[in-house]
Amino acid sequence: MSKKRTGVFVCHCGTNIAATVDVAKVAREMAAENTVAFTQEYVYMCSEPGQESVVQAIKDNKLDSIVVTCCSPNLHEKTFRDNAQRAGINNFTCEIANIREQCSWVHADKAKGTEKAIKISRSVVRRVNRNQPMDAIAVSVTRRAMVIGGGIAGIQAALDIANAGIEVILVEKQATIGGRMLQLSETFPTLDCSQCVLSPKMVEVKRHPKVKLMTYSEVQEVSGSVGNFRVKVHKRSTFVDPDKCKICDHCTEVCPVVVPNEYELGLTARRAIYIPYAQAIPASFTLDEDACLGLNPIRCGKCKDVCEAGAIDYDMRPQTVTEDVGAIVVATGFDLYGPENMPELGGGRVEDVLDGLQFERLISASGATKGHILRPSDHKEPKEVVFIQCAGSRDPAKHCAYCSKICCMYTAKHARLYKKHVPDGRAYVFYIDIRSGGKGYEEFVQRTMEDDDTLYLRGRVSKLYRKDGKVRVHGTDTLTGQNVEIDADMVVLALAMTPSKGTAEIAKTLKIGRDKDGFLAEAHPKLRPVESVTGGIYLAGAAQAPKDIPETVAQAGAAASKVIALLSQATLSRSPLIAKVRPSHCTGCGMCVEACPFFAIRLENGKAIVNEALCEGCGSCSATCLRAAIDVKNVTQMQIHEMIEACLA
Amino acid sequence: MIKLQDIRDTARDMLAKGEARAVIGYRRGSRGMLAEPAFLTRPEEADELVWDPTCFHNLSLYLVHDRKHLAHARKTAGAPVAVIAKGCDARSIVVLLQEHYFQREDVYIIGVSCEGTGVVDERKLAGHLNGAQAISAAFDGDDFVFTTAEGEKRLPAREVMADRCLECCSPFPKEHNLAFGEDKTGRQLEAPFAALDRFEAQGAGERWDNWARHFDRCIRCFACRSVCPMCYCDECVVDSITFPVTTATTAEEKASRIRWIERSAARSENITYLMTRAMHLAGRCTDCGECDRACPVNVPIRLLNNKMEKEAREQFGFEPGASIGGPSLVASFLDNDPGNFIR
């Protein structure tokens, strides 16, 4: 093997690196390495002149490999690998030594920082000595997408993808699409009817020739990777044929079972056979297997007897459908923080204390009271209503640390709508502060305060309880410094938004990360806000963080455009830096098989075999193997050993 | 109580009928009263077998040897090998089965319950015999009875039993084809990890001084590795000298020999060796105590492995060798795994 000719390019990153690291010294030390043929330092290596100088230096000095000592490889690895290729050498002979995030940014002492930067750089120089030139692996792309969650985010993403001519499978857990938005009455700040703006989109997605709708279905298993996922979807049985169902409602008239209606958030009851809303899509009844007396004509069978369309089939079985898709959008939405976690606000057990979504149903024209505000306990019109913001939000000690973002706005909307329905009523709002950033938002809140004469009280509620047919609310008005006691007819809690139930499971199934609050984690908080950490899986809506409808729709469109861009490629190039088994060392113990999060390893004739299409090069196998029998290419045991040695020297 | 004759009859029968290629058991050794491993291939050898509190060897080691012999001779197995296994030994076999080292049908496990006893710790016994040589050992239900030239000496089990037996919670071999003796679980005389807890009760400085003394004494004879059924790698990660060069070995592999530690028995190198071994045994060590017993300079190796097992049990409720289909400690990830060690 002829001697390596490595070039080392030391970046100052302005003062980001140069303030804590003596970059000239790093360059001098690297020049002393016997495989290094060229060194250079520059103020911004990633700038156009910086990049050009790298390309020129490779050509002029006949370099066969380069090390750029700069920021995290997350940022500029691709930049410099592309430059290497442009200069005529293999892009995988370029490595990044991170002396910014892992060195200059975390140290203050320049002498020690420089010493560490030298060690880091030297270790990468030693590593690159043993890098093998490699070609990216080309894989074909499945030109279909899946959207998980049929709320406004999922519907929008599905429509945008389908309109680009790409087939989409829209999977929804509930019996109808529409999600949370379908439960809302009017939407801020324009006060247009939520169902009226949503239902055209629901109809469009249902009728779209490129959209395959799967309601009452859940994603069970996902294998494969970007460009080629294989998804198993479990479709629960509705026991009603949607093509035959005429929505005549005769079945619900005879059904003897009464259970709380989850679509009305328990404010009303429904039968075991039911349709969630008049606007439900698919427009069909669903038989709730858990509530039904037994799907058995001998035990009950009344609904089947009266169904003239013959749509009810007790023998309908759940199905598992396998779909191949190239990309996935996750739009699994939100739930409200459980009031049972908040004993100070009644723990969900005090009558006439509602949550925000229940209030939406109460004022919705399609809700249980047909839009008349009547409190649940005695169906009387409440004359004094207390709205409590930040119920569970912004309370790191006891509840959720984050701001749920939409509560200031929807509480203002609630107060306005309340005053519209009950002009002689009185609305109080307890708040910490008002966050009304958004087009027309601040004006909306101001109108609520001024035009509608809503009393905003800056402070928290310490306790509430039932007293003499009312709810007594103890709070503080911190602006006047006085304690406030209100005997309210009704209380509405603006509960914190939390990731929907099942987010943890879906994240695990899809192998995407979650943040500290359980929301789905984006790949980069600023630059990759709609991508998950796993390639080919995108995020939309409140599953990623609390957000309102316009933001949700925007993010769904962004996720869709990412999907379209991905699926517009004929082939994808996959990183060739994947695991490789050394068969002579492998004893077939199978620990790597168990450790692999991508199911990319199997045992064959007592030896581990890596599926190149599935391996992501994460190195879990390599870390687990007791016998060093499996390595990730260009991060071999030998390279790690030499890097450690370089650091210890 | 186990009748020795039953074990002998089983061995004789299996060999006579060709149901086993060989029976691995214990016979009287040439060194005083202590038993030694016996490898029987003919029915008439069955009467050599013994069963007493000196049968401390973990015979599953020889199943590993058998595999290696077969692989070198390029032979396939045929009939299974029968092996006498105590609770800890049977758990070792389970770990080997989990790691697909051989198949379940390749081994016939003759389980023997340690019942109310365990095995003798030679060093503890020597302290009680004042230089006398014991000729035989027995257990009468309460005490060990040792026969020496000067007569019988009775010693309470607690005083001469190996630490691991005092702490053992599962002396019955759950995985077996045939088992002798009663399933007396939960009969330990001391709490699990009692010896380790005593060691850990010292201050950090004291602990380090102790280990420094032990690591300095290690002569790197690798007896601990040779006697351990889990140390079956062809090439030990700390020892590049035994790099196996086969026809499949590529030039690239030959070039990537890594010497993680030096061969000299210096403290730093000894630490690296013993720590690496402890890490590699995490979730695999069934506490048979053979490394500890085999050490010629009395390094308490068992404490290192025990520390890993204690962590595994406290953090993950993990017990090595509990079941063949169970997960492995280091390769499995469960949703309810605690993350409190990540700070």
Side-chain angles (χ1 to χ4, degrees), chain A residues 281-293:
Chain A
I281 282 181
S284 169
F285 279 75
T286 298
L287 179 50
D288 179 350
E289 196 175 355
D290 301 326
C292 179
L293 287 180

Side-chain angles (χ1 to χ4, degrees), chain B residues 176-187:
Chain B
H176 60 256
N177 296 83
L178 179 72
F180 294 108
E182 282 174 65
D183 181 359
K184 287 188 183 171
T185 42
R187 75 56 270 181

Side-chain angles (χ1 to χ4, degrees), chain A residues 143-380:
Chain A
R143 218 177 118 81
R144 295 171 90 217
M146 177 174 282
V147 175
I148 304 171
I152 178 59
I155 290 172
Q156 186 64 47
L159 281 174
D160 287 349
I161 297 167
N163 285 336
I166 296 167
E167 201 182 324
V168 188
I169 301 136
L170 178 58
V171 182
E172 167 58 47
K173 183 153 76 171
Q174 306 287 358
T176 175
I177 55 169
R180 290 292 182 205
M181 188 174 168
L182 198 55
Q183 295 179 312
L184 308 182
S185 55
E186 278 101 357
T187 54
F188 62 80
T190 47
L191 294 182
D192 41 0
C193 158
S194 184
Q195 295 183 338
C196 310
V197 292
L198 177 62
S199 56
K201 280 190 184 291
M202 290 167 62
V203 172
E204 192 185 346
V205 85
K206 163 80 171 129
R207 299 233 172 107
H208 203 295
K210 288 283 184 185
V211 178
K212 178 176 170 187
L213 192 58
M214 292 183 76
T215 49
Y216 224 42
S217 303
E218 283 187 76
V219 169
Q220 210 170 31
E221 202 180 296
V222 177
S223 58
S225 62
V226 51
N228 296 287
F229 293 104
R230 175 157 290 182
V231 188
K232 270 193 194 160
V233 182
H234 179 77
K235 186 167 173 43
R236 290 166 65 197
S237 178
T238 60
F239 303 99
V240 181
D241 184 341
D243 295 333
K244 290 185 185 162
C245 178
K246 300 262 191 296
I247 339 180
C248 65
D249 214 12
H250 291 164
C251 49
T252 58
E253 287 161 13
V254 295
C255 180
V257 183
V258 179
V259 290
N261 186 348
E262 63 271 35
Y263 296 91
E264 297 289 341
L265 298 135
L267 289 175
T268 61
R270 63 165 171 81
R271 303 288 165 162
I273 189 161
Y274 68 100
I275 186 163
Y277 309 100
Q279 301 93 329
I281 282 181
S284 169
F285 279 75
T286 298
L287 179 50
D288 179 350
E289 196 175 355
D290 301 326
C292 179
L293 287 180
L295 293 170
N296 186 342
I298 299 165
R299 293 195 56 185
C300 177
K302 288 194 174 72
C303 54
K304 192 170 179 167
D305 290 344
V306 299
C307 183
E308 286 158 15
I312 298 172
D313 175 10
Y314 294 147
D315 295 327
M316 200 182 271
R317 288 284 151 258
Q319 291 173 302
T320 302
V321 183
T322 304
E323 298 285 359
D324 289 332
V325 295
I328 299 172
V329 177
V330 195
T332 47
F334 72 97
D335 277 330
L336 292 182
Y337 186 64
E340 65 277 6
N341 300 317
M342 312 194 70
E344 67 274 28
L345 296 179
R349 291 188 305 274
V350 178
E351 237 182 340
D352 296 328
V353 177
L354 307 185
D355 64 44
L357 276 175
Q358 286 176 321
F359 191 75
E360 293 282 348
R361 295 311 300 153
L362 207 59
I363 50 178
S364 170
S366 70
T369 55
K370 306 276 180 255
H372 299 294
I373 300 182
L374 302 173
R375 63 179 196 161
S377 66
D378 52 10
H379 294 267
K380 283 188 184 148

Side-chain angles (χ1 to χ4, degrees), chain A residues 508 582 585 589 594 627 641, chain B residues 99 232 235 253 258 328:
Chain A
K508 194 185 163 212
R582 210 179 296 177
H585 284 45
C589 74
E594 205 178 334
R627 301 163 189 96
H641 180 257
Chain B
E99 296 179 3
Y232 60 72
E235 179 202 34
E253 284 169 359
I258 304 164
S328 72

